[in-house]
Amino acid sequence: MEKFSIQSLPEIIVASHREVLPDYAAIGSMCVEIIAREMQRLGCKCPPPGYCFTVEHDREYKPTDVDIEYCEQVEEMGEDSAIIQFKRLPAVPRALCMKHVGPYEKFYESYIEAFRYIEEHGYKPIGQHRTCYVDGVWNQEDPEKWLSIIQIPIE
């Protein structure tokens, strides 16, 4: 995949968890220590190759007290718990997708670049953007090698 591409995102079922985190660095531990354990307890099955992402609910970038919703694709709806809620997300016909390589603290720079690309190419952002996690703390020790994909619905 080039740095930028336009792709469609299919309709999916996700297990989600929303929380205000102290900073972006806390995403990894939240996923491993809270969400993964609860999804395992609930018997969630994730289709390969796996698709997980976050949605930021803050209206503008904040380096601290980040309102994050973590979503992971699952095969079927489950029964909600105090930690995990299940929902069906509609398909996104077109999304700008951009590779972000490096630690999560640098997302801001990549989002600036992505929104600049949208404006320069005559697109209009619509809906909530996603940050999809491909490589991170769970499989790559060096944060400079972490790979995330920013996905911004456009028209």
Side-chain angles (χ1 to χ4, degrees):
M1 179 167 100
E2 299 288 325
K3 186 171 188 175
F4 294 102
S5 65
I6 305 296
Q7 299 180 15
S8 62
L9 307 175
E11 177 181 291
I12 57 172
I13 299 169
V14 297
S16 74
H17 173 77
R18 185 171 173 178
E19 185 172 336
V20 176
L21 298 175
D23 54 37
Y24 286 94
I27 292 172
S29 61
M30 175 189 69
C31 293
V32 172
E33 297 168 15
I34 298 171
I35 297 167
R37 290 180 183 162
E38 183 68 355
M39 286 180 65
Q40 183 176 25
R41 186 186 76 76
L42 294 173
C44 295
K45 292 187 171 109
C46 302
Y51 177 45
C52 62
F53 59 91
T54 56
V55 174
E56 293 179 47
H57 290 279
D58 294 311
R59 293 245 179 235
E60 58 187 48
Y61 173 77
K62 293 175 14 180
T64 60
D65 299 321
V66 184
D67 186 358
I68 290 277
E69 181 177 7
Y70 175 86
C71 299
E72 187 155 351
Q73 184 178 11
V74 293
E75 292 180 353
E76 60 188 19
M77 296 289 284
E79 190 169 322
D80 292 351
S81 73
I83 297 171
I84 297 291
Q85 291 73 49
F86 294 89
K87 59 185 171 181
R88 187 177 305 274
L89 298 179
V92 174
R94 292 183 355 161
L96 173 73
C97 298
M98 177 191 170
K99 284 184 180 181
H100 168 87
V101 178
Y104 305 147
E105 292 83 7
K106 294 184 179 179
F107 279 150
Y108 179 72
E109 297 161 20
S110 290
Y111 270 101
I112 296 263
E113 187 177 355
F115 279 101
R116 185 178 308 124
Y117 182 95
I118 287 170
E119 183 177 329
E120 289 173 357
H121 289 82
Y123 297 117
K124 178 182 173 189
I126 56 172
Q128 292 183 303
H129 59 267
R130 304 174 182 178
T131 305
C132 174
Y133 302 91
V134 180
D135 294 310
V137 67
W138 60 92
N139 69 348
Q140 178 56 254
E141 288 184 29
D142 183 357
E144 294 300 323
K145 295 181 181 176
W146 291 355
L147 173 63
S148 306
I149 308 295
I150 294 170
Q151 301 171 325
I152 304 170
I154 57 172
E155 59 180 15

